Amino acid sequence: MNVRHLELLRELAEHGSVTAVAQATYRTPSAVSQQLKTAQREFGTALVEPSGRGLRLTEAGRLLAEGGTSVATAVERVRARWDAFHGEPTGTVSVAALPSAAAFLFPGVLREISGTAITLRCGDFDLAEAEFAHLATDNDVVIAHSLTGARPAGTEGLTVVPLAREPLDIAMAADHPLAALPRVSPADLEGQEWIGVPEGYPFDTVLRSVQQAVGRPLAVAQRLRDNRLVESLVASSGRIAVLPRFTTPTGAGLVLRELTGTASTRHVSAALRPDRAERLAVRRVLRSFERVGAEVEALHRGRR
């Protein structure tokens, strides 16, 4: 059994097409197709089948692709032990994160890693919750969030590590009538005009919960991704929004009020492919993310 063929099938399962596998592995599509034919001859059964204009794995192909994941994980586990035998972890670790979580995690992690032999390559991605899992194909660590639990949607099959639980508060201008309250409930928010996020983004879950509680549609004037833009618009208007507690600046015309009576806490988690989770350098970076996440959460808990 050729382990490279297992790896190829795993790549096809993760990337979804021959073209995408070719791009990810720096090969031509024809070379990938030829290797798939060789793999099918070796195993003596069909591993892929036509699907639209492309190919998809057969049941046999999926079974072998899962075996490829198991083999890759075992190899990385041995490599981690070998690295530990030789000394401290080294290498480049790529991290893809949603910006609002990266804002409170990256500074502390970068400080901790700066004195090691590990290089962090960071990227920010503002996506719907279910889209973050796809980033694990090309990144060692993916920082995502969810309002329903520690495992974001779409991360089945990935290793998920909780990093922090962050309250999502209601933001408003300092002179807004609701700013006089120490906290707000869905009933207090009835009739307000909102600046929301695109549908499918976790913050929108809070708006839907409020809407369900009051029993009528909310007036959402705008749907925007960038928190800094939302902050600016809220501070200069009578509209309100959902914003994260840890990184939203207050005191310059903007205030936050805790929302009661409905779920309004997001789970920030790291998602990784099982094989990459075994790398010693990745494990070192992941421990740093866990430590920084816990410190930030404890700091803000103490301020309440």
Side-chain angles (χ1 to χ4, degrees):
M1 182 177 291
N2 191 327
V3 174
R4 291 183 178 178
H5 290 160
L6 298 180
E7 174 66 20
L8 175 63
L9 294 169
R10 188 190 71 164
E11 293 284 355
L12 184 58
E14 293 181 349
H15 289 89
S17 72
V18 169
T19 300
V21 171
Q23 292 175 342
T25 58
Y26 304 100
R27 287 176 281 185
T28 64
S30 60
V32 173
S33 297
Q34 185 59 45
Q35 288 169 337
L36 283 172
K37 292 178 182 178
T38 302
Q40 291 188 128
R41 286 197 299 269
E42 177 193 355
F43 289 106
T45 188
L47 303 178
V48 294
E49 59 188 3
S51 177
R53 296 184 178 180
L55 296 173
R56 67 182 177 189
L57 292 171
T58 62
E59 183 178 355
R62 290 193 297 272
L63 183 149
L64 292 173
E66 292 173 2
T69 298
S70 299
V71 169
T73 301
V75 169
E76 290 298 343
R77 189 175 296 125
V78 172
R79 181 173 291 137
R81 293 174 61 188
W82 181 250
D83 289 345
F85 176 78
H86 279 283
E88 66 175 333
T90 63
T92 299
V93 175
S94 57
V95 182
L98 71 152
S100 60
F104 71 83
L105 289 171
F106 277 7
V109 172
L110 286 168
R111 281 196 301 270
E112 286 193 8
I113 299 301
S114 65
T116 72
I118 299 172
T119 299
L120 279 186
R121 188 176 74 243
C122 302
D124 59 314
F125 298 83
D126 201 352
L127 306 170
E129 178 183 341
E131 296 176 5
F132 276 96
H134 300 297
L135 298 175
T137 300
D138 300 311
N139 293 276
D140 296 311
V141 181
V142 176
I143 309 298
H145 61 167
S146 172
L147 263 76
T148 58
R151 179 175 288 278
T155 57
E156 297 78 9
L158 297 178
T159 298
V160 173
V161 179
L163 302 180
R165 296 176 74 250
E166 179 181 20
L168 300 178
D169 293 332
I170 303 302
M172 62 196 74
D175 58 357
H176 193 284
L178 292 179
L181 301 176
R183 57 189 61 84
V184 294
S185 68
D188 296 322
L189 304 177
E190 187 172 2
Q192 297 295 321
E193 191 171 13
W194 294 76
I195 297 177
V197 295
E199 295 181 3
Y201 284 59
F203 290 10
D204 193 49
T205 303
V206 178
L207 269 71
R208 293 200 303 272
S209 296
V210 172
Q211 180 172 284
Q212 184 176 10
V214 301
R216 65 180 62 185
L218 300 181
V220 181
Q222 305 287 343
R223 289 188 177 273
L224 305 167
R225 292 180 176 85
D226 186 76
N227 286 349
R228 302 289 86 84
L229 175 57
V230 173
E231 292 164 11
S232 176
L233 295 178
V234 167
S236 61
S237 73
R239 294 168 178 163
I240 62 175
V242 175
L243 286 172
R245 181 178 299 175
F246 294 170
T247 55
T248 300
T250 57
L254 186 74
V255 298
L256 296 177
R257 292 294 178 262
E258 179 184 355
L259 175 62
T260 63
T262 188
S264 58
T265 298
R266 69 168 174 173
H267 300 259
V268 177
S269 303
L272 313 82
R273 280 183 7 183
D275 57 318
R276 288 177 171 166
E278 294 295 336
R279 278 187 59 204
L280 199 61
V282 171
R283 281 156 50 188
R284 170 65 181 83
V285 169
L286 190 57
R287 286 198 302 271
S288 183
F289 272 113
E290 290 182 275
R291 187 160 46 249
V292 171
E295 289 174 353
V296 173
E297 184 176 340
L299 175 65
H300 284 267
R301 189 186 305 119
R303 290 178 176 175
R304 297 303 294 175

